[in-house]
Amino acid sequence: MRRFSSLAAVCRLASSPAALENPIHHQHRLFQAALFSTNYSTRSHWFSYDKVTAQSTRTAVAGTMLFSVAATTLTEEVHAKEHVQSKFLPNDVVLYQYEACPFCNKVKAFLDYYDIPYKVVEVNPISKKEIKWSDYKKVPILMVDGDQMVDSSDIIDKLTKKIHPDVQLEDDEENKWRGWVDNHLVHILSPNIYRSTSEALESFDYITSHGNFSFTERLTAKYAGAVAMYFVSKKLKKKYNITDERAALYEAAETWVDALKGREFLGGAKPNLADLAVYGVLRPIRNLKSGKDMVEHTRIGDWYTRMENAVGISSRIPAKSG
C-alpha cells in the first residue's frame, strides 16, 4: 500500500500548481517522489514522503531533468577563437554542475569559447554533498580564484568583465536575446524532450549515465523519473499555451535564425553572449530525437555547426585518475 500511495504522490506533485509555477526546481520533488515510490524497501530508513515535501531543495535533480543529451560532435574546421590576455585569465576555475543541466552548459560554452581552463565537480543530485559548503544549493556554482559565482547569466556577466575589463554589457540586441533564452527557449525544450514515453526514457538514460548517481539511484531515476516528467511536460504545454511542442520548437529555431539577419552570428563575424547562450542551452539536446528533428526541419543547422566550430574543443581539465 505504501508503494501505491507513493506513486499517487508522484502524480499529485506532477499536477500541482507549484510544478507549473517553477518547473525547473519543482522537478527536484518529482525526482524524490519517484525514487521513493519505486524503491521504498531500500530507502525507507532515511527517506519518507514528508522529507520530499520538506527538503525538496536539498534532494534535487534541478535543471538536469530539463535537458539531457550527448556532447557536441566536433568538426575538423575550427573558426578563429577569441583569446584572452594571460594577465586577465583566472588561475583556478571550478564548476559545480550537473552534466546535462542547460544552465551549466551555458557557462561551459562561455568557458570553452574563451579557452578558460576549468575543473568540474559533478554534484550528486540526491545528497548534494559536493556543495554542502555553499549557502547556494543550486547549480551552476563557479569558483573563480576562490570567489563564488552563481546563476548562469550573472556568472557570464562577471566573467566577461573579468576577462575584458573594458567591455560594456549594454548591447540591446544581445541582451534581448539572452533574455529570450532564459524566459522563452528553455520553456519550449522540456515539453519536447519528454514529449513521449520513449523520448522521456531517452533523456533519462543520458541523465543517469552521465550524472553522479549511485547504482540504485540510477536504476530508479531512469524509469520513475521519466514517467513523472512525461506527465509534467503535458502540464507545461498547457501553462505556456503550447499546442504542438515540435511546432513551437521549430518556430523558436526559425525565430533565432531570423534574428541573425543573414549574419554568421548574432555578434556578426564572431559569436556574442547571446550566440553562446542559445548554443549552450541547445547543446544538451542536440543528439536527442527532439534536437535531431529541430536541425532536420529548420534552418538552424548551419548556425549550430558554425557555433560548434567557433567554440571548438572543451577547455575542461580532465580529472586525475586514481
Side-chain angles (χ1 to χ4, degrees), residues 25-46:
H25 302 304
H26 193 75
Q27 290 172 80
H28 310 174
R29 298 175 65 185
L30 284 165
F31 178 75
Q32 283 195 317
L35 284 176
F36 179 58
S37 66
T38 56
N39 199 22
Y40 177 83
S41 61
T42 59
R43 302 181 73 87
S44 59
H45 65 286
W46 68 274

Side-chain angles (χ1 to χ4, degrees), residues 71 81 89-97 99 104-122 141-145 159 283 311-319:
K81 300 179 68 169
L89 275 174
N91 295 312
D92 185 52
V93 179
V94 182
L95 175 65
Y96 293 81
Q97 66 153 27
E99 182 64 29
C104 299
N105 275 278
K106 277 175 58 182
V107 174
K108 286 190 288 188
F110 180 95
L111 295 171
D112 292 340
Y113 178 65
Y114 285 103
D115 284 330
I116 301 173
Y118 60 98
K119 291 172 281 189
V120 165
V121 176
E122 190 70 19
I141 296 175
L142 194 72
M143 295 298 297
V144 180
D145 294 333
L159 281 177
R283 186 158 63 169
V311 172
I313 63 174
S314 175
S315 55
R316 175 174 176 170
I317 301 171

Side-chain angles (χ1 to χ4, degrees), residues 49-319:
Y49 177 69
D50 287 337
K51 289 183 179 179
V52 173
T53 304
Q55 302 179 28
S56 60
T57 57
R58 288 179 49 239
T59 56
V61 171
T64 303
M65 286 190 176
L66 277 179
F67 315 106
S68 57
V69 164
T72 305
T73 301
L74 297 173
T75 58
E76 292 183 359
E77 179 188 0
V78 178
H79 285 227
K81 300 179 68 169
E82 281 201 51
H83 294 288
V84 180
Q85 293 184 50
S86 58
K87 66 179 180 179
F88 295 130
L89 275 174
N91 295 312
D92 185 52
V93 179
V94 182
L95 175 65
Y96 293 81
Q97 66 153 27
Y98 303 137
E99 182 64 29
C101 166
F103 304 109
C104 299
N105 275 278
K106 277 175 58 182
V107 174
K108 286 190 288 188
F110 180 95
L111 295 171
D112 292 340
Y113 178 65
Y114 285 103
D115 284 330
I116 301 173
Y118 60 98
K119 291 172 281 189
V120 165
V121 176
E122 190 70 19
V123 176
N124 182 292
I126 308 303
S127 66
K128 291 194 176 183
K129 63 182 180 181
E130 294 81 5
I131 56 173
K132 284 192 179 296
W133 53 269
S134 175
D135 291 334
Y136 189 80
K137 300 304 179 184
K138 296 182 288 186
V139 294
I141 296 175
L142 194 72
M143 295 298 297
V144 180
D145 294 333
D147 293 330
Q148 177 179 261
M149 299 181 184
V150 299
D151 182 273
S152 62
S153 293
D154 192 52
I155 288 171
I156 289 169
D157 285 347
K158 289 178 178 177
L159 281 177
T160 300
K161 293 296 293 183
K162 184 175 182 68
I163 64 176
H164 294 309
D166 296 329
V167 166
Q168 300 295 320
L169 299 175
E170 297 176 354
D171 187 296
D172 290 340
E173 182 183 42
E174 183 179 38
N175 289 332
K176 168 189 172 182
W177 290 103
R178 290 180 70 192
W180 176 81
V181 172
D182 291 341
N183 300 318
H184 180 71
L185 184 58
V186 292
H187 299 312
I188 294 171
L189 297 181
S190 184
N192 272 278
I193 67 174
Y194 302 117
R195 180 179 66 153
S196 65
T197 53
S198 62
E199 289 186 68
L201 283 170
E202 178 191 36
S203 299
F204 269 85
D205 186 57
Y206 177 77
I207 290 172
T208 55
S209 297
H210 292 75
N212 187 2
F213 294 88
S214 70
F215 177 75
T216 302
E217 291 166 351
R218 186 177 303 123
L219 288 179
T220 54
K222 178 178 178 179
Y223 296 99
V227 170
M229 288 310 302
Y230 169 78
F231 287 107
V232 167
S233 72
K234 304 309 173 188
K235 298 295 182 180
L236 291 175
K237 281 182 61 177
K238 183 176 181 180
K239 174 179 174 62
Y240 295 109
N241 298 314
I242 299 172
T243 303
D244 183 325
E245 54 273 268
R246 277 297 194 270
L249 178 62
Y250 299 162
E251 181 181 3
E254 293 290 351
T255 296
W256 173 247
V257 174
D258 288 340
L260 300 177
K261 299 177 181 176
R263 296 167 289 185
E264 284 198 348
F265 307 103
L266 192 78
K270 59 187 179 182
N272 63 13
L273 297 183
D275 287 291
L276 291 171
V278 176
Y279 175 72
V281 166
L282 291 181
R283 186 158 63 169
I285 77 155
R286 173 61 183 92
N287 292 320
L288 290 181
K289 179 171 172 41
S290 55
K292 292 175 181 176
D293 287 350
M294 176 186 67
V295 170
E296 180 180 353
H297 295 286
T298 74
R299 298 170 292 152
I300 203 170
D302 289 343
W303 169 86
Y304 190 91
T305 299
R306 290 195 295 271
M307 285 300 300
E308 281 185 315
N309 296 336
V311 172
I313 63 174
S314 175
S315 55
R316 175 174 176 170
I317 301 171

